[in-house]
Amino acid sequence: MKRHTLHLKAPDNWVNDPNGFIYYKGYYHLFYQYFPYGPRWGTMHWGHAVSRDLVTWEHKGLALYPTTRADQNGCFSGSAIEQDGKLYLVYTGVRYEVVNPDDPHTCLDEQFESAQLMISSEDGFRFDNEHGKEVIIPPVTDPAIGDRTHTRDPKIWRGKDAWYLVLGSTMGEKYGEVLFYRSDDLHTWTYVDKAWKGPEYGWMWECPDYFPTEGGDVLLLSAMGLLKNGEKEKNQSICFPVTFDEETCSLDIPDQYQYLDYGLDLYAPQTALDKDGRRTMVAWVRMPRVTEEGWIGMFCSPRVVEVKDGHVFFRMHPNIRKAFSKAVYDIKDVSDDGYMASFELEDGETVTIGGYVIRRTGDRIVTDRSNVYPAFEGAHLVSETPDISRGTDGSFHLEVLVDSNLIETYVNDGEYVISNAVYDLGNEIQYDGDKKIRLYTTSER
C-alpha cells in the first residue's frame, strides 16, 4: 500500500476527518473518512493507516463500511479506545430517510437520522463489519437534549471510574452544543449533561474533543457557520481552555476562543496520547481542487497540545522535528518527502517559499498564498496570527514544514500555527532579511 512521509495523504479519491486516532500494540492507528469511489464526498467508509513513529505512514485499506440499517448510508466520524487488549471504535452511523434519486450517495434536504455504533478488534486491523457492530446510542428523540439528525462524532475516554463520551449536536439548528454520556461497561450509555455558548459560536458543533493537559483542560470543536465574512470556509475548528467536572459532566466554557490553526484550512481535529503520554493532535486539511494524481484531502503533521497561562499551544511533535533534522545548504538537496525551513523574522521582513509569502507585520505573522492557490470566489488567500509574544531579542522564530500541497508555519514553538493548502509550489526560497535560513531534510536521503 502507499507510504507517505511527513503528511498522510489520501490513497486515492477523497478523504476528510481523522478518526480513531490511537497508539495501540506498537502502532499509531489513524482511521479516516474515505469515499473509495471517486474524488468527492459521498457514502462514508473508514480508511486505515498505521505508523510506528507518526512520521512515515502506510495505508492498510478499508476498516469500516456500511452493513447495517443504522449505518447503511455511511460510517461517519468517531474515535477509539483500548480495553482488555481489544481496540474499540465508536462512530456515527447514518441512515437516509429520503435518498437523492440523482445520487444514491446523498440524501434530499438533510432527511436522515444518526446513531452511535461500536465495533471491536483483537488486533486493530481486522473488524467484523458483517456481525460485529452494536448500536450503543440510538438517534436522539428528545429535542430538549439534542437533534435526531445532527448529533454525531463520538469521542470516548476513560475517566476515574467510568467511560465517558462526548457528542456534537445542535439545539434546533440555532446554536451548537456538546452532549456528555457515561457508561460502566461500554455497552449501556446514559446521558448526563450538555454545554453550549450561543448562536454567535455556530449553529452546529461537530467533532468535539475534550481532554486534560498539565496546564489545564481543553475543548476542541468544529463550529459550523461560525464565520460570516463571505469566505468559502465558514465552518471552523476552534479551541477553548475549559473546566470540566467529571461527576456531573458540567463544562464551563469561556467566551474567548482560539482558532485551531490560523490558516483556516484545518478541520475536524482529533487527539490521542502518544506512546510517551503527550497529547497529540491531527486534523484534516481541506483542499479546493483534486490533484493531478486524482486524490483530494490530507492531514496536517502531528502536534503536541499544551496549555500555558490559558493559551493553547500546538507544538511540532518531536518525532517530526527529529525526522527533519539533517541540515542541507541548498534547496536542491532536500528530499522528496519535503523539508523544514527555520529562520527568524524581524518586523517588515519577508520569506517567499516557491511563491508562498510569509512576512512579519508588527507583532503578527501574515501569509499570502495568492500565487500558489486556485482563484475562486470566496477563496481564503491571506492569513494572519493575532499579536505574538516577542522573544528576548525581539524576533519571531519560525519553523516551516513544506511539501508539495501543504505549508505549515509554526511560530514561536507553536504559540500559533498557520497551515495552508497549496498547489504548483515552486522550488526556490527568497529572503529579504539579513539572517540565514536553515534547511533540514530527512536523514534517509
Side-chain angles (χ1 to χ4, degrees), residues 173-353:
E173 300 190 11
K174 296 176 181 177
Y175 57 85
E177 60 181 8
V178 288
L179 313 179
F180 290 97
Y181 290 75
R182 180 188 290 124
S183 174
D184 293 324
D185 61 4
L186 290 177
H187 301 281
T188 301
W189 291 85
T190 302
Y191 166 75
V192 184
D193 202 358
K194 65 179 180 175
W196 67 94
K197 289 300 293 181
E200 65 269 32
Y201 295 84
W203 71 266
M204 163 70 191
W205 285 357
E206 53 184 359
C207 301
D209 191 352
Y210 159 78
F211 52 88
T213 75
E214 286 188 6
D217 298 352
V218 176
L219 176 68
L220 302 181
L221 57 87
S222 295
M224 301 184 73
L226 180 70
L227 297 187
K228 313 288 195 298
N229 58 8
E231 291 186 347
K232 178 179 184 294
E233 301 298 357
K234 58 187 176 181
N235 305 334
Q236 287 295 330
S237 293
I238 57 178
C239 58
F240 301 86
V242 295
T243 302
F244 180 68
D245 183 277
E246 186 173 290
E247 183 176 350
T248 62
C249 285
S250 62
L251 184 74
D252 182 30
I253 307 174
D255 293 338
Q256 191 65 36
Y257 62 82
Q258 294 173 222
Y259 288 111
L260 176 80
D261 183 288
Y262 284 78
L264 304 186
D265 281 355
L266 298 193
Y267 200 69
Q270 187 167 115
T271 70
L273 293 177
D274 72 4
K275 69 176 183 177
D276 296 311
R278 290 174 289 235
R279 179 61 60 173
T280 302
M281 188 269 313
V282 292
W284 168 42
V285 180
R286 295 182 287 200
M287 301 173 67
R289 189 181 76 194
V290 178
T291 65
E292 292 182 358
E293 296 88 355
W295 59 268
I296 182 169
M298 59 189 295
F299 303 98
C300 70
S301 62
R303 303 172 186 182
V304 177
V305 187
E306 298 178 358
V307 179
K308 182 178 179 181
D309 298 327
H311 180 79
V312 185
F313 285 72
F314 294 92
R315 305 189 191 277
M316 186 184 300
H317 194 281
N319 289 15
I320 301 294
R321 184 175 286 108
K322 181 179 178 181
F324 288 81
S325 60
K326 180 182 178 181
V328 295
Y329 301 98
D330 193 302
I331 192 71
K332 300 177 199 174
D333 295 326
V334 301
S335 75
D336 294 337
D337 297 328
Y339 61 92
M340 180 171 71
S342 177
F343 50 90
E344 285 71 41
L345 278 184
E346 305 289 349
D347 188 13
E349 293 181 340
T350 297
V351 170
T352 302
I353 298 176

Side-chain angles (χ1 to χ4, degrees), residues 39-226:
R40 55 108 172 179
W41 188 94
T43 302
M44 283 296 121
H45 300 53
W46 277 33
H48 185 195
V50 297
S51 174
R52 291 285 193 182
D53 59 5
L54 292 171
V55 179
T56 301
W57 294 89
E58 181 178 3
H59 290 284
K60 305 302 287 187
L62 285 180
L64 302 184
Y65 51 87
T67 55
T68 72
R69 184 177 188 272
D71 71 1
Q72 67 186 29
N73 297 109
C75 302
F76 284 77
S77 292
S79 55
I81 49 92
E82 179 181 358
Q83 169 69 353
D84 295 332
K86 289 185 179 181
L87 179 65
Y88 288 83
L89 303 180
V90 292
Y91 68 98
T92 298
V94 163
R95 182 183 69 83
Y96 292 160
E97 294 168 314
V98 182
V99 176
N100 183 346
D102 298 320
D103 179 4
H105 296 292
T106 61
C107 69
L108 288 182
D109 302 322
E110 295 194 336
Q111 296 180 78
F112 66 91
E113 67 175 14
S114 301
Q116 316 312 318
L117 289 83
M118 182 172 68
I119 190 171
S120 65
S121 170
E122 297 283 352
D123 61 5
F125 292 92
R126 292 170 293 182
F127 296 89
D128 184 359
N129 280 269
E130 301 299 328
H131 307 290
K133 296 175 178 178
E134 173 187 2
V135 174
I136 56 172
I137 301 176
V140 175
T141 56
D142 185 350
I145 294 176
D147 192 82
R148 185 177 66 90
T149 297
H150 295 293
T151 297
R152 55 180 173 267
D153 312 332
K155 179 64 191 291
I156 189 171
W157 73 94
R158 179 67 187 180
K160 293 178 182 177
D161 57 3
W163 296 99
Y164 292 84
L165 181 152
V166 60
L167 289 168
S169 190
T170 178
M171 182 50 61
E173 300 190 11
K174 296 176 181 177
Y175 57 85
E177 60 181 8
V178 288
L179 313 179
F180 290 97
Y181 290 75
R182 180 188 290 124
S183 174
D184 293 324
D185 61 4
L186 290 177
H187 301 281
T188 301
W189 291 85
T190 302
Y191 166 75
V192 184
D193 202 358
K194 65 179 180 175
W196 67 94
K197 289 300 293 181
E200 65 269 32
Y201 295 84
W203 71 266
M204 163 70 191
W205 285 357
E206 53 184 359
C207 301
D209 191 352
Y210 159 78
F211 52 88
T213 75
E214 286 188 6
D217 298 352
V218 176
L219 176 68
L220 302 181
L221 57 87
S222 295
M224 301 184 73
L226 180 70

